[in-house]
Amino acid sequence: MLVSLLQRSVSGAIFIIAIVVIRAIAINKLPKRTFTVLWALALFRLLVPFSIPSIFSVHTLIRHGSFGMAYSGTKTDHIISDILQTHFASVEGTEMQQAYNRAFAFDGSFIWCIGMIIFAVYFGISYLRFRGEFRTALPVCNEYVKQWLREHPLKRPLSIRQSDRVFAPLTYGIFHPVILMPSNTDWENTKQLKFIFMHEYVHVCRFDTAMKLIMTAALCIHWFNPAVFVMYILFSRDMELACDECVVRQFGETSRSAYALMLIDMEAEKSKLFPLSSNFSKNAVEERIIAIMKNKKTNVVTMIVACFIVIGAAGIFATSEAASVDHKETVSEGLPQEESQSEGNTEDSETVANRGQRILDAYEEHGLHYDKSKGAYFYDGKRVRQLYDNRGVDADLLVEGSSSGRSWTVSSSWDPEGEIDVYSVRDFDETDETGYAKLEGFRVATREEFVANAQRHTYSYQEVKK
């Protein structure tokens, strides 16, 4: 199922909030690797333009809850993204009105593109500047370093260098990783060096620099989403915590105190932002020390709980709403939803299907097409946001003796990705083969109507929620 950028961003924000809650509750109770996996899943949700429908998805639960049922008249793939998009539409509408008066069409994608370019340029320049500084680093000629590199071989060429431009150890590079040390490092303190090298070695083995690169790309794409900034910061912290945990496990529980003291000793002035590198001593040192001292051996129970949380979170937050299978919707596919929910309509499914097809055929004759693959209407080549069709009196229902009050059929549909609103034009003095007022064509809403519809749609949703 293809998912728009805004839908991915909103769904990702929900996932991020869930991870933040889980993290606050269980940061020192579960393996730290659990949280880096959760952040990777959230990253996948933000960047991949499709999703897997699931009946366990939070979007399915919202859709079929009492809150979602009240809002079922609106046809969207993701209700929460619809809320956000209609809110944007109401805000955007005022600017569009002003721009329209100046004969300039406002395009929200233009603003998004400008923001993405600004962030990409910022991180790109930062990376190139620091990369240039890193290249001035000198190789370390030390017997301990040479021996350590021999004992820790990699398929990728790993080197250890030193520079007076950094204040704390860090790792950069993906295909040719480098452990960069401050020039004032005490090379005789091998006890401290083994901790530092092992920490950075874990970063290299786990391709954390590549993950940081992808995370930075997500930040550039979803720059308008505050939750992504939270993810970026917490992912960096959890990446460090996971490496700390691995080092303590490697050297044994007795190394916790020495390792924590080393972190305290190395806490100097904060280094600048290195978007594509992994810092040994960056931020939240206090959190790292607490996590180290509370570190416990991973047992079967904690592993099972961690796997359950990861699988459960993926199933609930990384998936999309499951497609609902409803007979009424099937026989009237392509019609505005109210048509299949008409209170006065007591016809059997075959009659409803035939009537629905005749209505769609009439739409086609007047230039309104329904694309089943996209689940959307198109008029004059433009995607329809709102279709409003007042069909008038249903002659068949009047013959059956139904009250005239229920015979008036007004149906509409809402597609947050649409760019125009369309109204039906009917002759209420005549009826056609569908039994409704004769369809003469459609008209596109004016700019004022377009803005008013967005505001009315948002207001109507707020009233339903109350």
Side-chain angles (χ1 to χ4, degrees):
M1 178 185 293
L2 290 175
V3 185
S4 69
L5 175 66
L6 184 60
Q7 289 173 336
R8 295 201 309 271
S9 195
V10 175
S11 299
I14 297 173
F15 199 174
I16 291 168
I17 292 172
I19 298 175
V20 170
V21 173
I22 296 172
R23 187 182 188 277
I25 296 173
I27 185 63
N28 292 318
K29 299 176 182 178
L30 295 175
K32 304 302 183 292
R33 191 71 168 154
T34 306
F35 301 100
T36 58
V37 173
L38 288 174
W39 291 126
L41 290 173
L43 190 61
F44 176 86
R45 189 71 178 97
L46 287 167
L47 295 180
V48 177
F50 62 85
S51 61
I52 302 173
S54 170
I55 59 174
F56 301 106
S57 172
V58 64
H59 306 288
T60 303
L61 299 177
I62 293 175
R63 176 76 171 183
H64 296 288
S66 58
F67 161 76
M69 288 295 290
Y71 194 51
S72 62
T74 300
K75 297 179 69 176
T76 56
D77 289 333
H78 300 277
I79 287 178
I80 294 179
S81 65
D82 183 32
I83 300 170
L84 187 59
Q85 187 141 351
T86 53
H87 172 70
F88 282 173
S90 63
V91 175
E92 178 185 288
T94 303
E95 298 183 28
M96 289 179 68
Q97 179 64 43
Q98 298 172 354
Y100 181 77
N101 294 335
R102 298 192 304 267
F104 173 78
F106 174 83
D107 187 358
S109 62
F110 176 76
I111 300 299
W112 167 78
C113 190
I114 292 297
M116 183 182 68
I117 292 174
I118 290 173
F119 275 86
V121 169
Y122 168 75
F123 283 109
I125 292 176
S126 297
Y127 171 74
L128 292 175
R129 181 164 62 89
F130 290 122
R131 182 79 176 185
E133 293 181 355
F134 293 163
R135 286 185 175 180
T136 63
L138 301 174
V140 177
C141 298
N142 182 286
E143 287 302 320
Y144 177 79
V145 171
K146 293 179 181 178
Q147 179 183 352
W148 187 90
L149 288 173
R150 286 194 298 269
E151 294 173 353
H152 299 81
L154 276 179
K155 292 183 178 180
R156 294 170 288 159
L158 173 65
S159 60
I160 299 177
R161 304 173 73 89
Q162 60 181 347
S163 172
D164 58 359
R165 304 293 182 91
V166 298
F167 303 98
L170 59 87
T171 299
Y172 71 92
I174 299 174
F175 301 107
H176 297 85
V178 175
I179 298 177
L180 189 59
M181 303 289 292
S183 57
N184 60 352
T185 300
D186 182 2
W187 298 105
E188 300 300 323
N189 190 347
T190 57
K191 185 176 181 181
Q192 185 182 75
L193 289 176
K194 71 176 182 179
F195 287 140
I196 296 174
F197 291 164
M198 181 54 65
H199 180 100
E200 301 301 336
Y201 183 73
V202 174
H203 277 308
V204 172
C205 292
R206 293 179 176 178
F207 288 89
D208 285 343
T209 301
M211 281 298 297
K212 201 70 175 290
L213 173 63
I214 300 172
M215 189 68 68
T216 303
L219 186 64
C220 294
I221 295 172
H222 297 270
W223 60 267
F224 55 87
N225 190 341
V228 180
F229 286 83
V230 174
M231 178 183 73
Y232 186 88
I233 294 171
L234 293 183
F235 168 77
S236 299
R237 290 188 180 185
D238 290 339
M239 193 167 59
E240 299 300 325
L241 292 175
C243 287
D244 290 339
E245 182 181 59
C246 185
V247 172
V248 172
R249 189 183 300 116
Q250 178 74 22
F251 292 105
E253 297 295 319
T254 56
S255 66
R256 289 186 301 178
S257 298
Y259 188 66
L261 288 174
M262 184 205 65
L263 285 180
I264 296 173
D265 291 339
M266 295 187 62
E267 174 61 5
E269 63 180 280
K270 293 182 179 179
S271 59
K272 299 178 182 178
L273 180 62
F274 296 93
L276 307 179
S277 64
S278 300
N279 284 37
F280 181 85
S281 176
K282 198 168 183 179
N283 296 322
V285 172
E286 182 179 356
E287 181 183 42
R288 292 174 63 183
I289 292 173
I290 293 174
I292 291 169
M293 299 311 295
K294 289 186 176 182
N295 182 67
K296 297 179 181 179
K297 280 188 175 182
T298 303
N299 53 46
V300 177
V301 175
T302 56
M303 286 297 297
I304 292 175
V305 172
C307 291
F308 177 79
I309 290 176
V310 170
I311 295 172
I316 295 174
F317 298 103
T319 55
S320 62
E321 177 191 348
S324 59
V325 180
D326 184 82
H327 179 68
K328 290 183 179 179
E329 292 181 1
T330 302
V331 299
S332 59
E333 182 180 5
L335 291 177
Q337 189 149 351
E338 287 76 6
E339 174 64 23
S340 63
Q341 298 176 349
S342 176
E343 293 184 29
N345 197 337
T346 58
E347 301 167 305
D348 58 39
S349 60
E350 184 177 359
T351 304
V352 171
N354 292 335
R355 177 190 292 271
Q357 188 58 54
R358 289 198 301 270
I359 293 172
L360 287 178
D361 290 342
Y363 284 176
E364 290 278 350
E365 290 178 6
H366 292 88
L368 182 67
H369 308 283
Y370 181 74
D371 188 330
K372 289 185 178 182
S373 63
K374 297 180 180 179
Y377 290 99
F378 288 86
Y379 186 72
D380 284 344
K382 296 182 179 180
R383 187 164 180 158
V384 176
R385 185 184 68 168
Q386 175 168 291
L387 167 61
Y388 184 88
D389 183 14
N390 182 357
R391 300 196 182 103
V393 177
D394 185 336
D396 293 341
L397 290 181
L398 284 178
V399 172
E400 294 172 7
S402 176
S403 64
S404 61
R406 292 191 180 187
S407 300
W408 285 86
T409 302
V410 177
S411 59
S412 65
S413 66
W414 182 271
D415 180 356
E417 296 183 19
E419 53 184 319
I420 60 171
D421 292 351
V422 173
Y423 294 86
S424 64
V425 178
R426 291 181 179 269
D427 183 355
F428 295 102
D429 294 328
E430 297 183 39
T431 58
D432 57 17
E433 65 275 7
T434 66
Y436 294 108
K438 184 178 180 181
L439 180 64
E440 295 185 335
F442 295 93
R443 72 173 180 85
V444 178
T446 64
R447 183 59 56 188
E448 291 78 7
E449 289 172 327
F450 185 89
V451 174
N453 287 339
Q455 294 171 340
R456 187 182 304 109
H457 184 72
T458 306
Y459 175 77
S460 298
Y461 174 77
Q462 292 172 346
E463 288 297 308
V464 170
K465 191 172 71 168
K466 290 179 182 177

Coordinates of all heavy atoms in Angstrom, one line a residue, residues 338-392:
E338 N -21.8 8.0 1.7 CA -23.2 8.1 2.2 C -24.2 7.3 1.4 O -25.3 7.0 1.8 CB -23.6 9.6 2.3 CG -23.0 10.4 3.4 CD -21.5 10.7 3.1 OE1 -21.1 10.4 2.0 OE2 -20.9 11.3 4.0
E339 N -23.9 7.1 0.1 CA -24.8 6.4 -0.8 C -25.1 5.0 -0.3 O -26.2 4.5 -0.4 CB -24.2 6.4 -2.2 CG -24.9 5.5 -3.2 CD -26.3 6.1 -3.5 OE1 -26.5 7.3 -3.3 OE2 -27.2 5.3 -3.9
S340 N -24.0 4.3 0.2 CA -24.2 3.0 0.7 C -24.8 2.9 2.1 O -25.0 1.9 2.6 CB -22.9 2.2 0.7 OG -22.0 2.8 1.6
Q341 N -25.0 4.1 2.7 CA -25.5 4.1 4.1 C -26.8 4.9 4.2 O -27.3 5.4 5.2 CB -24.5 4.8 5.0 CG -23.2 4.1 5.1 CD -22.2 4.8 5.9 OE1 -22.4 6.0 6.3 NE2 -21.1 4.1 6.2
S342 N -27.5 5.0 3.0 CA -28.8 5.8 3.0 C -29.8 5.1 3.8 O -30.1 3.9 3.7 CB -29.3 5.9 1.5 OG -30.5 6.5 1.5
E343 N -30.4 5.8 4.8 CA -31.4 5.2 5.7 C -32.6 4.7 5.0 O -33.2 3.7 5.4 CB -31.8 6.2 6.8 CG -30.6 6.6 7.7 CD -31.1 7.5 8.8 OE1 -32.3 7.4 9.2 OE2 -30.3 8.3 9.2
G344 N -33.1 5.4 3.9 CA -34.3 5.0 3.3 C -34.1 3.9 2.2 O -35.1 3.5 1.6
N345 N -32.9 3.5 2.0 CA -32.7 2.6 0.9 C -32.9 1.2 1.4 O -32.0 0.7 2.1 CB -31.3 2.8 0.3 CG -31.2 2.2 -1.1 OD1 -31.9 1.2 -1.4 ND2 -30.2 2.7 -1.8
T346 N -33.9 0.5 1.0 CA -34.2 -0.9 1.4 C -34.0 -1.9 0.2 O -34.5 -3.0 0.3 CB -35.6 -1.0 2.0 OG1 -36.6 -0.6 0.9 CG2 -35.8 -0.1 3.2
E347 N -33.4 -1.4 -0.8 CA -33.2 -2.3 -2.0 C -32.2 -3.4 -1.7 O -31.4 -3.3 -0.8 CB -32.7 -1.5 -3.2 CG -33.7 -0.4 -3.6 CD -33.0 0.6 -4.5 OE1 -32.0 1.1 -4.2 OE2 -33.6 0.8 -5.6
D348 N -32.3 -4.5 -2.4 CA -31.4 -5.6 -2.3 C -30.0 -5.2 -2.9 O -29.9 -4.2 -3.6 CB -31.9 -6.9 -2.9 CG -32.2 -6.8 -4.4 OD1 -31.4 -6.1 -5.1 OD2 -33.2 -7.3 -4.8
S349 N -29.0 -6.0 -2.6 CA -27.6 -5.7 -3.0 C -27.5 -5.6 -4.5 O -26.8 -4.7 -5.0 CB -26.7 -6.7 -2.4 OG -26.9 -8.0 -2.9
E350 N -28.2 -6.4 -5.3 CA -28.1 -6.4 -6.7 C -28.6 -5.1 -7.3 O -28.0 -4.5 -8.2 CB -28.8 -7.6 -7.3 CG -28.7 -7.7 -8.8 CD -29.3 -9.0 -9.4 OE1 -29.9 -9.7 -8.6 OE2 -29.3 -9.1 -10.6
T351 N -29.8 -4.7 -6.7 CA -30.4 -3.4 -7.2 C -29.5 -2.2 -6.9 O -29.3 -1.3 -7.7 CB -31.8 -3.2 -6.6 OG1 -32.6 -4.3 -6.9 CG2 -32.4 -1.9 -7.1
V352 N -28.9 -2.2 -5.7 CA -28.0 -1.2 -5.2 C -26.8 -1.1 -6.2 O -26.3 -0.1 -6.6 CB -27.6 -1.4 -3.8 CG1 -26.5 -0.4 -3.4 CG2 -28.8 -1.2 -2.9
A353 N -26.3 -2.3 -6.5 CA -25.1 -2.4 -7.4 C -25.4 -1.8 -8.7 O -24.6 -1.1 -9.3 CB -24.6 -3.8 -7.5
N354 N -26.5 -2.2 -9.3 CA -26.9 -1.7 -10.6 C -27.1 -0.2 -10.6 O -26.7 0.5 -11.5 CB -28.2 -2.4 -11.1 CG -28.0 -3.9 -11.4 OD1 -26.9 -4.3 -11.7 ND2 -29.1 -4.6 -11.3
R355 N -27.8 0.3 -9.5 CA -28.0 1.7 -9.4 C -26.7 2.5 -9.3 O -26.5 3.5 -9.9 CB -28.9 2.0 -8.2 CG -29.1 3.5 -8.0 CD -29.8 3.7 -6.6 NE -31.2 3.2 -6.6 CZ -32.2 3.9 -7.0 NH1 -32.1 5.2 -7.4 NH2 -33.4 3.4 -7.0
G356 N -25.8 1.9 -8.4 CA -24.5 2.5 -8.2 C -23.7 2.6 -9.5 O -23.1 3.6 -9.8
Q357 N -23.8 1.5 -10.3 CA -23.0 1.5 -11.6 C -23.6 2.6 -12.6 O -22.9 3.3 -13.3 CB -23.1 0.2 -12.2 CG -22.2 0.0 -13.5 CD -20.8 0.3 -13.2 OE1 -20.2 -0.3 -12.3 NE2 -20.2 1.2 -13.9
R358 N -24.9 2.8 -12.5 CA -25.5 3.8 -13.4 C -25.1 5.2 -13.0 O -24.9 6.1 -13.8 CB -27.1 3.7 -13.4 CG -27.6 2.4 -14.1 CD -29.1 2.6 -14.4 NE -29.9 2.8 -13.2 CZ -30.5 1.8 -12.4 NH1 -30.3 0.6 -12.8 NH2 -31.2 2.1 -11.4
I359 N -25.0 5.4 -11.7 CA -24.6 6.7 -11.2 C -23.1 7.0 -11.6 O -22.8 8.0 -12.1 CB -24.7 6.8 -9.7 CG1 -26.2 6.7 -9.3 CG2 -24.0 8.0 -9.1 CD1 -26.4 6.6 -7.8
L360 N -22.3 5.9 -11.5 CA -20.9 6.1 -11.9 C -20.8 6.3 -13.4 O -19.9 7.1 -13.9 CB -20.1 4.9 -11.5 CG -19.8 4.7 -10.0 CD1 -19.0 3.4 -9.8 CD2 -18.9 5.9 -9.5
D361 N -21.6 5.6 -14.2 CA -21.6 5.8 -15.6 C -22.0 7.3 -16.0 O -21.4 7.9 -16.9 CB -22.6 4.9 -16.3 CG -22.1 3.4 -16.2 OD1 -20.9 3.2 -16.0 OD2 -22.9 2.5 -16.4
A362 N -23.0 7.8 -15.2 CA -23.4 9.2 -15.4 C -22.2 10.2 -15.1 O -22.0 11.2 -15.8 CB -24.6 9.5 -14.6
Y363 N -21.5 9.8 -14.0 CA -20.3 10.6 -13.6 C -19.3 10.6 -14.8 O -18.8 11.7 -15.2 CB -19.6 10.1 -12.4 CG -20.3 10.3 -11.1 CD1 -19.9 9.8 -9.9 CD2 -21.5 11.1 -11.0 CE1 -20.5 10.0 -8.7 CE2 -22.1 11.4 -9.8 CZ -21.6 10.8 -8.6 OH -22.2 11.0 -7.5
E364 N -19.1 9.5 -15.3 CA -18.1 9.3 -16.4 C -18.5 10.2 -17.6 O -17.6 10.8 -18.3 CB -18.0 7.8 -16.8 CG -17.3 7.0 -15.8 CD -15.8 7.0 -15.9 OE1 -15.3 7.6 -16.8 OE2 -15.1 6.5 -14.9
E365 N -19.8 10.2 -17.9 CA -20.2 10.9 -19.1 C -20.0 12.4 -19.0 O -19.8 13.1 -20.0 CB -21.7 10.7 -19.3 CG -22.1 9.3 -19.8 CD -23.6 9.0 -19.9 OE1 -24.3 10.1 -19.7 OE2 -24.0 7.9 -20.1
H366 N -19.9 12.9 -17.8 CA -19.7 14.3 -17.5 C -18.3 14.6 -17.0 O -18.0 15.7 -16.4 CB -20.7 14.8 -16.5 CG -22.1 14.8 -17.1 ND1 -23.0 13.7 -17.0 CD2 -22.8 15.8 -17.8 CE1 -24.1 14.0 -17.6 NE2 -24.1 15.2 -18.0
G367 N -17.3 13.7 -17.3 CA -15.9 14.0 -17.0 C -15.4 13.7 -15.7 O -14.2 14.0 -15.4
L368 N -16.2 13.1 -14.8 CA -15.7 12.7 -13.4 C -15.4 11.2 -13.4 O -16.3 10.4 -13.6 CB -16.8 13.0 -12.4 CG -16.4 12.7 -10.9 CD1 -15.3 13.7 -10.5 CD2 -17.6 12.9 -10.0
H369 N -14.1 10.9 -13.2 CA -13.7 9.5 -13.3 C -13.2 9.0 -11.9 O -12.6 9.8 -11.1 CB -12.5 9.4 -14.3 CG -12.7 10.0 -15.6 ND1 -13.5 9.3 -16.6 CD2 -12.4 11.1 -16.2 CE1 -13.6 10.1 -17.7 NE2 -12.9 11.2 -17.4
Y370 N -13.5 7.7 -11.7 CA -13.1 7.1 -10.4 C -12.0 6.1 -10.7 O -12.1 5.2 -11.5 CB -14.3 6.4 -9.7 CG -13.9 5.8 -8.4 CD1 -13.7 6.6 -7.3 CD2 -13.7 4.4 -8.3 CE1 -13.3 6.0 -6.1 CE2 -13.3 3.8 -7.1 CZ -13.1 4.6 -6.0 OH -12.8 4.1 -4.8
D371 N -10.8 6.3 -10.0 CA -9.7 5.4 -10.2 C -9.7 4.5 -9.0 O -9.4 4.8 -7.9 CB -8.4 6.3 -10.2 CG -7.2 5.4 -10.5 OD1 -7.1 4.2 -10.2 OD2 -6.2 6.0 -11.1
K372 N -10.0 3.2 -9.3 CA -10.1 2.2 -8.2 C -8.7 1.9 -7.6 O -8.6 1.7 -6.4 CB -10.6 0.9 -8.8 CG -12.1 0.9 -9.2 CD -12.5 -0.5 -9.6 CE -14.0 -0.4 -9.9 NZ -14.5 -1.8 -10.3
S373 N -7.6 2.0 -8.4 CA -6.3 1.7 -7.8 C -5.9 2.7 -6.8 O -5.2 2.4 -5.8 CB -5.3 1.6 -8.9 OG -5.2 2.8 -9.6
K374 N -6.3 4.0 -7.0 CA -6.0 5.0 -6.1 C -7.1 5.4 -5.1 O -6.9 6.1 -4.1 CB -5.6 6.3 -6.8 CG -4.3 6.1 -7.7 CD -4.0 7.4 -8.4 CE -2.7 7.2 -9.3 NZ -2.4 8.4 -10.0
G375 N -8.3 4.8 -5.4 CA -9.4 5.1 -4.5 C -9.8 6.6 -4.5 O -10.1 7.1 -3.5
A376 N -9.8 7.2 -5.7 CA -9.9 8.6 -5.8 C -10.7 9.0 -7.1 O -10.6 8.3 -8.1 CB -8.6 9.4 -5.7
Y377 N -11.3 10.2 -7.0 CA -12.0 10.8 -8.2 C -11.0 11.7 -8.9 O -10.2 12.4 -8.2 CB -13.2 11.6 -7.8 CG -14.4 10.7 -7.3 CD1 -14.6 10.6 -5.9 CD2 -15.2 10.1 -8.2 CE1 -15.7 9.8 -5.5 CE2 -16.3 9.4 -7.8 CZ -16.6 9.2 -6.4 OH -17.6 8.5 -6.0
F378 N -11.2 11.9 -10.2 CA -10.4 12.8 -11.0 C -11.3 13.6 -11.9 O -12.2 13.0 -12.5 CB -9.3 12.1 -11.7 CG -8.2 11.6 -10.9 CD1 -8.3 10.3 -10.3 CD2 -7.0 12.3 -10.7 CE1 -7.2 9.8 -9.5 CE2 -6.0 11.8 -9.9 CZ -6.1 10.6 -9.3
Y379 N -11.1 14.9 -12.0 CA -11.9 15.7 -12.8 C -11.0 16.7 -13.6 O -10.2 17.4 -12.9 CB -12.9 16.5 -12.0 CG -13.9 17.3 -12.8 CD1 -14.9 16.6 -13.6 CD2 -13.9 18.7 -12.9 CE1 -15.8 17.4 -14.3 CE2 -14.8 19.4 -13.7 CZ -15.8 18.7 -14.4 OH -16.7 19.4 -15.1
D380 N -11.1 16.7 -14.9 CA -10.2 17.5 -15.7 C -8.7 17.2 -15.4 O -7.9 18.1 -15.3 CB -10.5 19.0 -15.5 CG -11.7 19.4 -16.3 OD1 -12.2 18.6 -17.1 OD2 -12.3 20.5 -16.0
G381 N -8.4 16.0 -15.1 CA -7.0 15.6 -14.8 C -6.5 15.9 -13.4 O -5.4 15.6 -13.1
K382 N -7.4 16.5 -12.6 CA -7.0 16.9 -11.2 C -7.7 16.0 -10.2 O -8.9 15.7 -10.4 CB -7.3 18.3 -10.9 CG -6.5 19.3 -11.8 CD -6.8 20.7 -11.5 CE -6.0 21.7 -12.3 NZ -6.3 23.1 -12.0
R383 N -7.0 15.6 -9.1 CA -7.6 14.8 -8.1 C -8.6 15.6 -7.3 O -8.3 16.7 -6.8 CB -6.4 14.2 -7.2 CG -6.9 13.2 -6.2 CD -5.7 12.4 -5.6 NE -6.1 11.4 -4.7 CZ -5.4 10.4 -4.4 NH1 -4.2 10.2 -5.0 NH2 -5.8 9.5 -3.5
V384 N -9.7 15.0 -7.0 CA -10.8 15.7 -6.3 C -10.6 15.5 -4.8 O -10.5 14.3 -4.4 CB -12.2 15.1 -6.8 CG1 -13.3 15.8 -6.0 CG2 -12.4 15.4 -8.3
R385 N -10.6 16.6 -4.1 CA -10.6 16.5 -2.7 C -12.0 16.2 -2.1 O -12.2 15.3 -1.3 CB -10.0 17.8 -2.1 CG -9.8 17.7 -0.6 CD -9.4 19.1 0.0 NE -10.4 20.1 -0.1 CZ -10.4 21.3 0.5 NH1 -9.3 21.6 1.3 NH2 -11.3 22.1 0.4
Q386 N -12.9 17.1 -2.4 CA -14.3 16.8 -2.0 C -15.3 16.8 -3.1 O -15.2 17.7 -4.0 CB -14.8 17.9 -1.0 CG -16.2 17.8 -0.6 CD -16.7 18.7 0.5 OE1 -16.2 18.4 1.7 NE2 -17.5 19.7 0.3
L387 N -16.1 15.7 -3.2 CA -17.1 15.6 -4.1 C -18.5 15.8 -3.4 O -18.8 15.0 -2.5 CB -17.1 14.2 -4.8 CG -18.4 13.9 -5.7 CD1 -18.6 14.9 -6.8 CD2 -18.3 12.5 -6.2
Y388 N -19.2 16.8 -3.8 CA -20.5 17.0 -3.2 C -21.6 16.8 -4.2 O -21.6 17.5 -5.2 CB -20.6 18.5 -2.6 CG -21.8 18.8 -1.9 CD1 -22.0 18.5 -0.5 CD2 -22.9 19.4 -2.6 CE1 -23.1 18.8 0.1 CE2 -24.1 19.7 -1.9 CZ -24.2 19.4 -0.5 OH -25.4 19.7 0.1
D389 N -22.5 15.9 -4.0 CA -23.5 15.5 -5.0 C -24.9 15.5 -4.3 O -25.2 14.6 -3.6 CB -23.2 14.2 -5.6 CG -24.2 13.8 -6.7 OD1 -24.9 14.7 -7.2 OD2 -24.2 12.6 -7.1
N390 N -25.7 16.5 -4.6 CA -27.1 16.6 -4.1 C -27.9 16.0 -5.2 O -28.2 16.6 -6.3 CB -27.5 18.0 -3.8 CG -28.9 18.1 -3.3 OD1 -29.6 17.1 -3.2 ND2 -29.3 19.3 -3.0
R391 N -28.3 14.7 -5.1 CA -29.0 14.0 -6.1 C -30.5 14.3 -6.2 O -31.2 13.9 -7.1 CB -28.8 12.5 -6.0 CG -27.4 12.1 -6.1 CD -27.2 10.6 -6.3 NE -25.8 10.2 -6.3 CZ -25.2 9.6 -5.3 NH1 -25.9 9.3 -4.2 NH2 -23.9 9.4 -5.4
G392 N -31.0 14.9 -5.1 CA -32.5 15.3 -5.1 C -33.4 14.2 -4.7 O -33.0 13.3 -4.0

